[in-house]
Amino acid sequence: MSVKKRLFWSNTLMFALPLLVYLLFSLLADRMSWLYLLQQRFTSMQDFQQQVHRTELFSRCFTLGGLVLTLFIVNRVLSRGVLKKIEGSLSELSAGLRRLREGELDFRLPGSPSDEFSAVRADFNATAQRLQQLVEQERQSEKNRQELLAGISHDLRSPLTAIRAYAEGLLDGVARTPQDQAQYLTIIRDKARDLQALVNKLFLFSRMDLGQNEDHPEPVSLAEELTLLHQVLAPEYAGRGLALTLTCAGPGEGRVLADPDTLHRVVANIAENSAKYGAAALNIALREEPSFVSVTFTDDGPGVPPEALPHIFDAFYRADPARNEKIAGSGLGLAIVSRAVRNMKGRIIARNVQPHGLLLEIQLPKLETEG
C-alpha cells in the first residue's frame, strides 16, 4: 500500500476509532452507573443527589480515560504503519547508495508496486546505470590512452632507430664513397620525412579526437569530388600496383554537407591502406539512398580477421595478424577516417568480401535540395 493510502486510512481511523470507543465507553459507563445506583439504598433526597453526582463524575472520568488511552494506542499503531513504510524505503535507498559507494556499480534497486518511492527508485537505477557507463567509459579511455602511448612509442622507434644508425654510419666512416654517403643521407631524409608524416597524422588525430579540428563544411557533390580525386590519385597508385576504379552516375549525384579537404583526406587514407596491405584493385562506388549517400570502397586485399573488424578504426590497433613489422604505416589512417566521418555526422562500416578483400562503406546524411 502506498504512503498516500496509508495516511488516508490512518487519518480516517484516527477519527473513527476514538469516536466509536467513546460511544462504547459512554454506554458502558452509563450502564455501570445505573446498576450501581439501583443497588444502593438512599436515606434522603440529598443522599440520592450526591450518589448520582459521584456516579456521573466516575462515568465522565471513565469515558475520558478510555478515549485518551484509545487515542494513544491508535496513534502509535497507525503511525508505526506509515513510518515503517517510509523508513523501509529510505533504508533501501541508503543501502543502495552505500553499495554504490563501495564500488558495486551493477547494483539496482528491485522493482516494487507503484508508490511514492517508485520514481525515486527509477531515478536511482537510472543514475546507477549512467554512473556505471561513465566509469566503464573512463576505464576504456584510460586503456585507449595506454594503447595509444604504446603505439606511438612503437611507431616512432623504427624511423628514429634507422636515422640514428645511418647517422652513426656516416660519423664512423662506414660510408666512404660519395655514392654511399649520398645513399645514407637519402635514407635519413626519407626516414625523417616518414617521422614528420607520423607526427602530422598524430597531431591531426589528436585534434579530431578532441573536437578541435577546424572543418569548413559546404554543399558538395560527392560524384564531382570523387571524380576529381580519381583523376589525381589513379595515376599515382597505378605506379604502386593499385588500380583505382570509380562507379557513379551524373556529376551532381550525392549532395552532402562536407569539407572537401576532409573528403580528400578520407579517400587518400583508404587508398593508402589498401595499397599498404597489397591490394591490386580498389573500386569506389557511389549510390544514393532515401536518407543518406553511400560510398563504398572495395579492395581485393587479404581482408581482416572477423574478430579484428570492430577494432580496425582504433588508433595503433595491432591485433590483425596481417599487420606486422614488414608493413609500413602509422596505424592512424583508418582512425582518422573514422573520426572524420563522425565529424560529418555520418558513419563507417567495415566488412569482409568474398573470396577475399575488405569493404568500407561510408554513409553521409543526404543534403536535401530546395524546391
Side-chain angles (χ1 to χ4, degrees):
M1 186 183 298
S2 67
V3 176
K4 184 177 180 180
K5 290 182 178 180
R6 285 174 181 262
L7 285 174
F8 171 77
W9 287 111
S10 176
N11 292 332
T12 301
L13 293 175
M14 190 74 72
F15 172 79
L17 287 179
L19 178 62
L20 179 61
V21 169
Y22 176 79
L23 294 176
L24 291 176
F25 270 71
S26 297
L27 292 175
L28 181 61
D30 290 344
R31 181 178 179 82
M32 292 173 60
S33 298
W34 283 109
L35 290 176
Y36 173 77
L37 291 174
L38 290 175
Q39 294 176 0
Q40 301 299 317
R41 293 180 178 276
F42 304 104
T43 59
S44 64
M45 181 61 66
Q46 183 178 2
D47 183 34
F48 173 75
Q49 292 176 346
Q50 289 177 351
Q51 291 288 349
V52 169
H53 178 72
R54 286 196 296 268
T55 303
E56 289 179 348
L57 182 60
F58 168 79
S59 176
R60 291 172 184 173
C61 293
F62 179 77
T63 303
L64 182 61
L67 179 61
V68 172
L69 180 62
T70 302
L71 283 173
F72 176 77
I73 296 174
V74 170
N75 180 69
R76 289 296 300 272
V77 172
L78 297 181
S79 298
R80 184 185 296 272
V82 175
L83 291 176
K84 183 178 180 181
K85 176 67 175 179
I86 297 175
E87 290 175 353
S89 298
L90 291 178
S91 298
E92 188 179 40
L93 289 173
S94 178
L97 291 173
R98 184 168 56 254
R99 295 181 68 171
L100 287 181
R101 187 176 65 247
E102 293 172 353
E104 297 183 45
L105 299 181
D106 57 346
F107 174 76
R108 301 291 183 272
L109 291 177
S112 62
S114 178
D115 58 18
E116 287 76 5
F117 291 92
S118 297
V120 179
R121 293 189 187 93
D123 289 341
F124 175 92
N125 290 337
T127 302
Q129 182 177 1
R130 180 57 179 162
L131 179 61
Q132 184 179 17
Q133 291 174 352
L134 290 175
V135 171
E136 290 176 354
Q137 290 174 2
E138 180 62 27
R139 290 173 180 171
Q140 184 62 40
S141 297
E142 180 62 26
K143 181 181 178 181
N144 292 341
R145 283 193 292 269
Q146 294 175 355
E147 293 177 352
L148 183 63
L149 289 174
I152 293 173
S153 302
H154 178 276
D155 285 349
L156 288 178
R157 182 176 57 197
S158 297
L160 287 175
T161 301
I163 291 173
R164 178 179 177 180
Y166 283 101
E168 289 177 350
L170 288 172
L171 292 173
D172 295 340
V174 175
R176 300 180 182 276
T177 66
Q179 291 81 5
D180 291 341
Q181 293 173 356
Q183 182 182 4
Y184 274 42
L185 290 173
T186 300
I187 293 175
I188 292 175
R189 182 199 62 190
D190 293 342
K191 293 299 181 180
R193 186 179 298 164
D194 293 342
L195 188 60
Q196 183 179 15
L198 172 60
V199 172
N200 290 339
K201 281 189 174 182
L202 181 61
F203 179 71
L204 174 62
F205 171 80
S206 300
R207 289 182 62 85
M208 296 178 72
D209 200 38
L210 294 173
Q212 298 176 350
N213 191 53
E214 294 184 1
D215 283 343
H216 302 283
E218 60 183 66
V220 297
S221 167
L222 284 180
E224 296 176 0
E225 296 295 330
L226 291 176
T227 300
L228 176 62
L229 281 169
H230 180 262
Q231 294 172 355
V232 174
L233 297 177
E236 175 187 347
Y237 283 97
R240 299 172 55 181
L242 179 65
L244 291 181
T245 58
L246 175 63
T247 304
C248 60
E253 187 181 11
R255 300 283 296 177
V256 298
L257 190 65
D259 185 344
D261 292 337
T262 301
L263 286 175
H264 296 182
R265 186 182 301 116
V266 166
V267 176
N269 282 355
I270 294 177
E272 183 66 26
N273 188 74
S274 296
K276 180 175 63 176
Y277 287 100
L282 175 64
N283 180 62
I284 306 172
L286 172 67
R287 76 174 188 275
E288 289 194 0
E289 299 292 343
S291 60
F292 63 88
V293 179
S294 172
V295 183
T296 57
F297 300 82
T298 309
D299 67 26
D300 59 352
V304 178
E307 66 275 9
L309 272 176
H311 305 286
I312 65 172
F313 300 113
D314 297 344
F316 299 103
Y317 180 69
R318 297 184 182 278
D320 184 355
R323 195 173 171 201
N324 50 47
E325 299 296 335
K326 297 180 180 179
I327 298 178
S330 64
L332 288 171
L334 292 184
I336 291 175
V337 169
S338 175
R339 279 154 180 77
V341 172
R342 189 165 55 195
N343 290 343
M344 291 187 287
K345 312 301 181 184
R347 67 171 185 161
I348 184 169
I349 305 169
R351 60 179 179 270
N352 287 315
V353 294
Q354 298 298 329
H356 56 82
L358 179 67
L359 182 146
L360 299 177
E361 180 180 4
I362 296 175
Q363 298 176 356
L364 298 178
K366 181 186 293 186
L367 183 63
E368 298 295 337
T369 56
E370 297 182 359

